[in-house]
Amino acid sequence: MTVRFDRDYARTLDRQDLLAAFRDRFVIDDPALVYLDGNSLGRLPRASQALAGDLVTGQWGERLIRSWNEGWFDLPERIGDKLARLLGADAGEIIIADSTSVNLFKLAVAALRHQAGRTRILTDDLNFPSDVYVLQGAIETLGGRHALEIIPSPDGIHGPVDALLASLREDVALVVLSHTVFKSGYLYDMAAITAAAHAAGALVLWDLSHSAGSVPVDLNGAGADLAIGCTYKYLNGGPGAPAFLFVRRNLQERLANPISGWMGQHAPFDFALAYAPEPGIRHFLTGTPPVLSLALIEPGVDLLLEAGMDALRAKSVAQSEYLVALWEQVLRPRGYVLKSPRDAARRGSHLSLGHAEGWRINQALIRELNVLPDFRAPDNIRLGIAPLYTTFADLHEAVERLRRAVDDQIYARYASQRPVVT
Ligand SMILES: Cc1ncc(COP(=O)(O)O)c(C=O)c1O
C-alpha cells in the first residue's frame, strides 16, 4: 500500500497496531507532545511511578535496613536475569551495575588481560566517542602496550564491515562496536562479526545501548563474548539508571574484574582482607548498587517482555519505513537528507535527518512546535521510535511540523549557537 501523508491514514495505521494498548501503560501528560527521544530517555512506565512510591515509603522508609535481605541484595542479578530473556542470554550471564562507561572499562581491561600477547583493538568511527575515551583509558591503565584502530565508515552512515574484516589478524585482542550506532542507527550483524573475530582469535565487546529493547538481540545465538548497555533509553529505566553487562558463561571464570570490590567478593560480610571473587557473573560487581534507580528498571523490562521483541521489531520497522516514505515525499524536497540506512534490516529504531539548518530547526521543534527529538552534531535531527508508545500519528505530526519549520521559516527565529547539552 502506498504511504499517504495525511492524518487519517496515520490514524488507520494506529487502529491496526496490535501493540497500541501499551501506550496507556506510560505516563503521558501532554498527548499533543510528539516525543521522539525515547532513544535517549525512555518514557516513565506507570508501574515505575507506583513502584517508586513503595520503594521510598515502604521499602526504605518503613523496612529500613531489613530491605537488603528482603530483595535488595539480589536485585542486580534478578533484573539481570529478566534482561537476559530479552537479549538472548541465559540466567546468570547478565548483571546490572555501574554505568555503561564503567562497565566498558571493566570488561575491556578484563578481556585485554585475558588476551595476553595480542596488542590491537578495533573499533569504528561511528562508535559513541565516550567508548573510545574509555578504551584509551584502558590502554593507558595497562601500560600503553595496545593500539586502538578506529576504522572509518565509508559514508558516515554504514559500518565499515569489509575494512573491519580485513583488519582482523592474529594480533587483534578485542573488537569493540556499538551494535546499533548512535547517530545513523546502522545495525551490525552481530553473528557475522563475532564469527569472523573468533576465527582470528579475537573477542568482541558489543555496546547494546541503542539495541536493548529496540531490536532483537540474540547474544548466545550469535556466540557473543561480552556486552554492555544502558537502561535509560528503550528499556525505560529512568534517568541515570544503572547499566548492564553480559559475560558469556564459559568466560566468566577466566576474566577478572579490574575494579574488584566487596560486592563482587565471595563473602562480603566476612570482611576478610583478601579478595576472593564470587564465582559467576557477580564478581563483575564492585560497590553498593543504587537501589532506588536499580529497582525502577524492572517495570520497563517487564513491559518489553510482555510485548515480545519480535512484535516490537515488526512495529519499529513498519514505523521507520513509514517515516522514510514520508521523508521522501515531504521532507526531501525541503532540504532534509536521510542519514540512516535505507535497508530496514540494517537499521535500528531511530532515523537521523540532516539539514543545513538542523540545529535551528531542532530549536523550533522543541520550543514552538511541541516535538521533542534530539540533536547530534553537526546537523543530525534524531527521531527515535519507541514502539511501546510511539504512534503513527506521532510520526505524521513530526513530519508535518518539520515541514512547517522550513516552509514557514520558523527556524529563522532561533540562533545558531548550541548549549552544552543537546
Ligand atoms: C552508545 C552509547 N554508549 C555509551 C554511552 C555512555 O553511557 P553512560 O553515560 O551511561 O556511561 C551512551 C550514552 O548515551 C551511549 O549512547
Side-chain angles (χ1 to χ4, degrees), residues 40-84:
S40 250
L41 177 65
R43 278 188 181 274
L44 167 62
R46 285 185 192 279
S48 302
Q49 199 178 33
L51 176 60
D54 174 52
L55 270 168
V56 172
T57 312
Q59 298 184 34
W60 177 15
E62 290 165 22
R63 296 306 296 159
L64 290 164
I65 201 158
R66 291 167 289 195
S67 286
W68 278 109
N69 285 323
E70 292 169 358
W72 286 358
F73 192 75
D74 299 326
L75 271 180
E77 282 154 297
R78 204 169 61 69
I79 300 178
D81 285 351
K82 277 198 179 175
L83 197 50

Side-chain angles (χ1 to χ4, degrees), residues 106-136:
K106 291 188 298 191
L107 294 193
V109 168
L112 293 174
R113 284 194 171 132
H114 176 68
Q115 294 279 66
R118 292 173 173 257
T119 53
R120 284 167 64 227
I121 306 168
L122 304 184
T123 188
D124 65 12
D125 68 351
L126 302 178
N127 205 348
F128 196 65
S130 176
D131 286 19
V132 174
Y133 312 152
V134 170
L135 292 174
Q136 287 162 345

Side-chain angles (χ1 to χ4, degrees), residues 36-40 157 179-187 209-211 214-215 233-234 313 316-317 319-320 323-324 338-341 344 346-353 374 376 380-387 395:
L36 296 178
D37 217 350
N39 56 323
S40 250
I157 295 175
H179 181 231
T180 302
V181 309
F182 81 105
K183 260 191 208 171
S184 72
Y186 175 79
L187 176 62
S209 295
H210 284 275
S211 295
S214 82
V215 297
K233 301 182 194 291
Y234 297 96
R313 174 63 173 166
S316 159
V317 168
Q319 291 194 315
S320 68
L323 198 49
V324 169
L338 183 65
K339 293 191 151 189
S340 293
R346 294 268 62 85
R347 193 169 66 219
S349 202
H350 69 265
L351 219 64
S352 269
L353 297 180
D374 71 4
R376 289 294 173 258
N380 287 271
I381 299 168
R382 262 192 337 184
L383 306 174
I385 294 167
L395 300 175

Side-chain angles (χ1 to χ4, degrees), residues 36 38 42 103 109 149 167 192 203 208 226 257 261 325 328 367 400 415:
L36 296 178
N103 288 336
V109 168
E149 244 169 81
S167 301
L203 293 172
L208 300 181
L226 305 163
N257 180 355
E328 198 138 40
R367 297 207 216 165
E400 166 59 11

Side-chain angles (χ1 to χ4, degrees), residues 82-97:
K82 277 198 179 175
L83 197 50
R85 283 164 48 203
L86 195 72
L87 299 177
D90 290 334
E93 289 187 313
I94 291 185
I95 199 150
I96 314 287

Side-chain angles (χ1 to χ4, degrees), residues 13-330:
L13 295 177
D14 283 327
R15 276 194 296 276
Q16 293 164 356
D17 172 15
L18 300 175
L19 298 177
F22 280 94
R23 186 173 162 90
D24 293 336
R25 311 272 291 273
F26 290 86
V27 174
I28 298 180
D29 287 337
D30 174 5
L33 168 70
V34 177
Y35 189 66
L36 296 178
D37 217 350
N39 56 323
S40 250
L41 177 65
R43 278 188 181 274
L44 167 62
R46 285 185 192 279
S48 302
Q49 199 178 33
L51 176 60
D54 174 52
L55 270 168
V56 172
T57 312
Q59 298 184 34
W60 177 15
E62 290 165 22
R63 296 306 296 159
L64 290 164
I65 201 158
R66 291 167 289 195
S67 286
W68 278 109
N69 285 323
E70 292 169 358
W72 286 358
F73 192 75
D74 299 326
L75 271 180
E77 282 154 297
R78 204 169 61 69
I79 300 178
D81 285 351
K82 277 198 179 175
L83 197 50
R85 283 164 48 203
L86 195 72
L87 299 177
D90 290 334
E93 289 187 313
I94 291 185
I95 199 150
I96 314 287
D98 305 311
S99 63
T100 312
S101 308
V102 171
N103 288 336
L104 172 59
F105 180 84
K106 291 188 298 191
L107 294 193
V109 168
L112 293 174
R113 284 194 171 132
H114 176 68
Q115 294 279 66
R118 292 173 173 257
T119 53
R120 284 167 64 227
I121 306 168
L122 304 184
T123 188
D124 65 12
D125 68 351
L126 302 178
N127 205 348
F128 196 65
S130 176
D131 286 19
V132 174
Y133 312 152
V134 170
L135 292 174
Q136 287 162 345
I139 290 172
E140 277 181 35
T141 302
L142 293 175
R145 295 190 302 275
H146 297 85
L148 177 64
E149 244 169 81
I150 303 175
I151 300 178
S153 155
D155 54 4
I157 295 175
H158 296 83
V161 175
D162 292 341
L164 267 165
L165 298 183
S167 301
L168 272 169
R169 292 184 293 275
E170 67 288 345
D171 55 353
V172 174
L174 185 65
V175 180
V176 183
L177 294 169
S178 286
H179 181 231
T180 302
V181 309
F182 81 105
K183 260 191 208 171
S184 72
Y186 175 79
L187 176 62
Y188 272 104
D189 181 338
M190 182 184 283
I193 299 282
T194 304
H198 286 178
L203 293 172
V204 187
L205 199 172
W206 293 99
D207 185 336
L208 300 181
S209 295
H210 284 275
S211 295
S214 82
V215 297
V217 175
D218 186 6
L219 285 164
N220 284 334
D225 306 304
L226 305 163
I228 52 161
C230 73
T231 61
Y232 42 75
K233 301 182 194 291
Y234 297 96
L235 297 179
N236 307 304
F244 64 88
L245 65 84
F246 159 86
V247 181
R248 166 159 57 84
R249 171 93 62 199
N250 60 3
L251 265 182
Q252 289 176 2
E253 307 318 319
R254 289 186 270 159
L255 299 188
N257 180 355
I259 318 181
S260 43
W262 72 318
M263 287 293 141
Q265 149 80 7
H266 175 51
F269 290 91
D270 283 357
F271 297 105
L273 286 181
Y275 178 78
E278 172 77 349
I281 195 74
R282 239 190 123 86
H283 71 265
F284 293 97
L285 293 181
T286 299
T288 306
V291 171
L292 301 182
S293 52
L294 164 62
L296 290 176
I297 295 169
E298 191 166 10
V301 176
D302 284 341
L303 283 172
L304 290 158
L305 287 171
E306 188 184 332
M309 212 48 244
D310 289 341
L312 288 162
R313 174 63 173 166
K315 178 173 172 187
S316 159
V317 168
Q319 291 194 315
S320 68
E321 290 286 82
Y322 170 78
L323 198 49
V324 169
L326 293 189
W327 161 76
E328 198 138 40
Q329 289 174 34
V330 182

